[in-house]
Amino acid sequence: MSVDLGRLLGSVGAVLLDFDGPVCSIFAGYPAPLVAAELVDVLRQHDVDLTPDLASEPDPLEVLRRTGATGDRGVTRAVEDALRAAERLAAESAEPTPYGREVIVAARQAGLAVAVVSNNSAEAVSAYLAAHRLAGHVSPVVGRAYAEPSRMKPHPEPILQAVRALGMAPGRCVLVGDSLSDIDGARSAGVRAIGYANRPPKAAAFRDAGADVVINSMGTIASVLIDMQPL
């Protein structure tokens, strides 16, 4: 059941942010389909038999996920290494999400902890945060487990890793994410969930998946957090 955003944020001690979406568009300058094609080339170099749909897969994380599902650890590590290098480069041209920075700063000023929980690599996330002078506001940064794509969200472990690092009960944390994997992962971890519907069709899907609140702008969260700051 949907709850009021102000009541939700007033009842938690930490805001967990997905990275690609709520904070920035990591592949804005280095398009995800190009990265995915480069990962497919890595598979070809390792003589992997490619199905037509994998050969044309536009999502680099999905290429990694499907590679991991084959059980070939060596190939999975090769794709992981190539993706990490690409993400680190992509972070340099990532496009900030409108009001993403304001959410981070306002949350800290309102006395809330802020963490990032991402299916991207922690190195890429940390590089972006440092470049945008946000690193001091965000801790911990939990990224993708190395060469273990089955542990990416919606698996609850990365979310619970952040919760444990913060020393809070899961119910005292809220995850803001722009994908169903975020909502499903949050529910599995016992964490509250805000669905960021940066494209209108996502809103109904987030509600159906059990998001506590659905928003279409990070500015909505920023406004509430600013109102929560002590006078």
Side-chain angles (χ1 to χ4, degrees):
M1 179 180 293
S2 180
V3 298
D4 174 75
L5 179 60
R7 282 194 291 122
L8 172 56
L9 291 174
S11 70
V12 300
V15 176
L16 315 181
L17 297 170
D18 179 38
F19 179 62
D20 187 18
V23 178
C24 71
S25 175
I26 186 173
F27 295 116
Y30 187 1
L34 175 58
V35 176
E38 292 170 352
L39 300 184
V40 169
D41 282 342
V42 172
L43 296 177
R44 289 194 179 98
Q45 292 163 17
H46 284 78
D47 298 320
V48 173
D49 257 342
L50 297 172
T51 59
D53 59 328
L54 178 55
S56 60
E57 173 59 54
D59 182 351
L61 290 175
E62 186 60 23
V63 175
L64 176 62
R65 198 187 300 273
R66 292 184 60 179
T67 302
T70 68
D72 189 321
R73 292 287 296 161
V75 175
T76 301
R77 284 192 293 268
V79 172
E80 174 75 46
D81 289 342
L83 178 53
R84 284 178 179 249
E87 287 171 328
R88 182 64 180 81
L89 183 60
E92 297 176 7
S93 57
E95 181 177 308
T97 297
Y99 301 103
R101 178 185 185 86
E102 287 81 355
V103 166
I104 292 172
V105 174
R108 294 298 296 125
Q109 291 176 342
L112 303 180
V114 178
V116 166
V117 183
S118 177
N119 283 346
N120 298 117
S121 69
E123 296 88 347
V125 175
S126 295
Y128 175 89
L129 294 175
H132 292 262
R133 303 185 306 282
L134 289 168
H137 297 288
V138 180
S139 182
V141 171
V142 178
R144 183 178 65 248
Y146 180 77
E148 295 188 73
S150 63
R151 292 176 58 193
M152 295 192 297
K153 293 174 292 180
H155 197 294
E157 175 53 30
I159 300 171
L160 290 172
Q161 184 179 337
V163 170
R164 289 192 296 267
L166 291 165
M168 293 189 185
R172 287 273 293 151
C173 301
V174 61
L175 175 69
V176 182
D178 71 328
S179 70
L180 285 174
S181 66
D182 295 311
I183 308 305
D184 293 342
R187 288 178 59 81
S188 296
V191 166
R192 312 297 292 277
I194 296 174
Y196 170 37
N198 48 6
R199 292 196 296 274
K202 292 183 177 183
F206 289 160
R207 292 189 185 95
D208 291 345
D212 293 280
V213 174
V214 177
I215 59 168
N216 58 23
S217 169
M218 293 296 287
T220 305
I221 299 178
S223 295
V224 173
L225 291 170
I226 289 169
D227 288 342
M228 289 172 53
Q229 293 173 15
L231 297 177

